[in-house]
Amino acid sequence: MAEQQTVTISCPQCASPFSFREGDRNARCPSCGTSLAISGEAGISRFWIEERIDLAQARANARRAVAAAGGDPDVVERLRFEGGELCFLPFWRLRGHAAGWLWTERETVTREEEYDENGMKTVREVRGPNQCATESVMVAVDYSSPACDVSRFGLRGIAVAGAVLPLRGMDFVLVSGRGTVFDPVKDPDEVRREAVAQARARGGGNGVIRSTGRFSLCGERLALISYPVWSLTFARDERLYPVTVDGVNGRVLAGRLPGSTRLTLLRPLLTVTLLVFAFTLHQLLGAAVAVGFLGWLAANGGLSPERLAGWFFALVERQREVELG
Amino acid sequence: MALVHLPLYLLTFRVGGSDCRAVVSAVDRRAYLLDPLPRSAVTLPLRHVALVVGYSLLLVIVGMAVKNHLHRAIAFAIIFGMAYFSFNAFLRREA
């Protein structure tokens, strides 16, 4: 969890020192009253998006998602809720333009129509010589990328959410009081490289065989946005099942929950009954039945201590877990 | 030159009867397994083992006590039926 720090700088207007809290976006100089816009170390603004659903709604959404995914309603009903945590995941958002030049070599295809003596039309596609072209390109960039490993949360990007939802200036005291704030790990330069690579991949169009180019970002606005996600934990027996729910729209992002169970009582009880009955009839008959049973088991799937123990004592078979998201 | 201390959790747990260890980074929650997980494992609850063993012992006792084959078969069928329904109810409540 990020710790709040107090930073002291000199006012660029009157040069008197004044302090502000880390994460503040605006400050007023106490000496001259000048309003100052503050950005982070590399001129990066930090924002956060407020959660719109509470813990109870997130829990209900998770249970509904299991039922929708084909889970056993009885199993869902008996799931024990272990706890929930609101996590604010950091995402880089880069907006601006990628400008540069792009050299492409693309194939050309011409369609030739021919009519035979019966009037039937035949269309042939004929490949022409490859065309090379160099063009100046300017592509609008709106790129979003996780600033740390968020793979377990099932969230890949928040470009749309960052554009539509109201962003609040980061206040570490307020946000860390609501949940766990994850710190960014990815470097801003890496984000810039990814955004340029994405813009370059979009250039060219159809039929491109080879391409090369050089792009630079211009007019970039890089921001770090903390996005709310509920991390819930359900339990059944000794197993824990994590589920993550989007803190804004309540959509289940990722998780797994137990599948239905099947009782396999007939198999062990019938085997034991027949074996004991055979032994009570005659010991030799009992031994023959036991050997026959072991032989049948070996021929059908192999004989091992695990298989034997499972045959007699695994009375409850759990079906595959329900994967969400 | 700097000496950096990284916060890591060392966890020890059991999977299918095998002891396993894992390190979890307290910075970004990444987990690294130190010991490989067993490829296949069967976890048997002690309650289920006790149910089947108790059922078998009951059959052995009844089998030794009842000498007539037909009567023994009827007794086994009754015990089987009762055990099936009572175990079924018990396990369904437990599951």
Side-chain angles (χ1 to χ4, degrees):
Chain A
M1 195 181 292
E3 236 176 69
Q4 186 201 9
Q5 292 178 348
T6 303
V7 184
T8 304
I9 62 165
S10 299
C11 172
Q13 188 69 27
C14 65
S16 62
F18 78 96
S19 303
F20 60 90
R21 291 185 309 175
E22 186 189 349
D24 282 353
R25 292 176 61 221
N26 298 294
R28 187 180 289 273
C29 175
S31 303
C32 65
T34 306
S35 291
L36 298 166
I38 301 165
S39 57
E41 269 179 55
I44 297 162
S45 309
R46 288 196 71 161
F47 301 99
W48 70 290
I49 295 173
E50 191 177 3
E51 78 277 7
R52 291 187 175 182
I53 62 163
D54 59 13
L55 183 59
Q57 287 171 311
R59 278 169 59 179
N61 283 10
R63 286 181 193 275
R64 270 200 294 271
V66 183
D72 188 345
D74 291 340
V75 174
V76 177
E77 204 173 303
R78 277 185 232 146
L79 276 176
R80 208 168 61 246
F81 177 67
E82 286 289 311
E85 177 190 24
L86 184 61
C87 301
F88 288 92
L89 308 180
F91 284 86
W92 289 111
R93 187 176 182 213
L94 194 150
R95 282 181 298 165
H97 287 87
W101 58 265
L102 187 70
W103 175 86
T104 53
E105 181 181 359
R106 68 183 72 213
E107 61 181 4
T108 56
V109 178
T110 53
R111 290 163 65 91
E112 291 182 355
E113 294 182 358
E114 289 177 359
Y115 292 89
D116 60 11
E117 61 270 15
N118 298 322
M120 292 287 287
K121 188 173 79 171
T122 313
V123 180
R124 282 196 310 159
E125 288 193 343
V126 181
R127 280 187 64 179
N130 291 347
Q131 285 183 347
C132 297
T134 305
E135 54 189 338
S136 302
V137 180
M138 180 172 266
V139 188
V141 174
D142 191 348
Y143 181 71
S144 167
S145 167
C148 67
D149 181 17
V150 296
S151 53
R152 81 176 181 92
F153 294 97
L155 204 59
R156 289 177 188 163
I158 55 158
V160 178
V164 175
L165 298 169
L167 301 178
R168 293 179 163 208
M170 190 63 173
D171 183 341
F172 279 101
V173 176
L174 177 70
V175 181
S176 58
R178 286 170 178 253
T180 305
V181 182
F182 282 57
D183 281 334
V185 176
K186 194 190 278 183
D187 195 50
D189 288 335
E190 201 180 330
V191 184
R192 292 186 182 101
R193 280 196 297 274
E194 287 175 4
V196 168
Q198 193 196 47
R200 194 176 142 179
R202 274 193 294 160
N206 294 329
V208 174
I209 302 168
R210 282 185 294 170
S211 72
T212 185
R214 194 174 180 85
F215 279 83
S216 298
L217 285 169
C218 52
E220 74 161 51
R221 279 170 292 162
L222 185 64
L224 194 62
I225 301 172
S226 292
Y227 191 84
V229 166
W230 282 103
S231 174
L232 312 177
T233 307
F234 292 91
R236 188 169 176 227
D237 298 337
E238 295 169 343
R239 294 189 182 186
L240 294 174
Y241 297 93
V243 179
T244 52
V245 178
D246 194 309
V248 175
N249 56 26
R251 193 167 56 92
V252 174
L253 299 168
R256 58 187 174 82
L257 285 170
S260 56
T261 52
R262 193 166 66 92
L263 299 184
T264 50
L265 261 177
L266 202 62
R267 186 181 68 190
L269 293 191
L270 209 56
T271 311
V272 168
T273 310
L274 289 177
L275 279 173
V276 175
F277 190 71
F279 268 106
T280 55
L281 285 177
H282 198 278
Q283 287 182 351
L284 277 176
L285 180 65
V289 170
V291 170
F293 166 69
L294 292 176
W296 177 83
L297 211 60
N300 294 281
L303 189 63
S304 65
E306 288 92 357
R307 178 106 198 276
L308 215 52
W311 181 274
F312 284 107
F313 303 122
L315 305 181
V316 178
E317 262 183 22
R318 299 196 188 285
Q319 305 295 311
R320 275 185 60 187
E321 291 174 343
V322 179
E323 295 283 343
L324 302 171
Chain B
M1 188 167 167
L3 186 64
V4 181
H5 289 265
L6 288 177
L8 299 172
Y9 289 104
L10 178 65
L11 307 178
T12 309
F13 52 95
R14 285 180 75 80
V15 178
S18 307
D19 285 323
C20 295
R21 289 177 307 150
V23 168
V24 181
S25 166
V27 179
D28 55 5
R29 300 182 181 214
R30 284 189 193 186
Y32 306 93
L33 275 177
L34 297 180
D35 302 315
L37 295 173
R39 281 191 175 180
S40 65
V42 179
T43 307
L44 298 173
L46 199 63
R47 294 185 300 277
H48 297 182
V49 177
L51 279 180
V52 177
V53 169
Y55 175 74
S56 309
L57 281 174
L58 182 65
L59 287 184
V60 168
I61 292 165
V62 172
M64 288 168 71
V66 182
K67 298 297 178 191
N68 185 292
H69 293 334
L70 184 63
H71 291 170
R72 195 186 313 128
I74 293 168
F76 274 26
I78 292 168
I79 294 170
F80 173 79
M82 288 173 66
Y84 181 80
F85 286 109
S86 54
F87 288 4
N88 199 41
F90 172 75
L91 292 172
R92 207 162 280 284
R93 201 180 57 192
E94 190 190 60

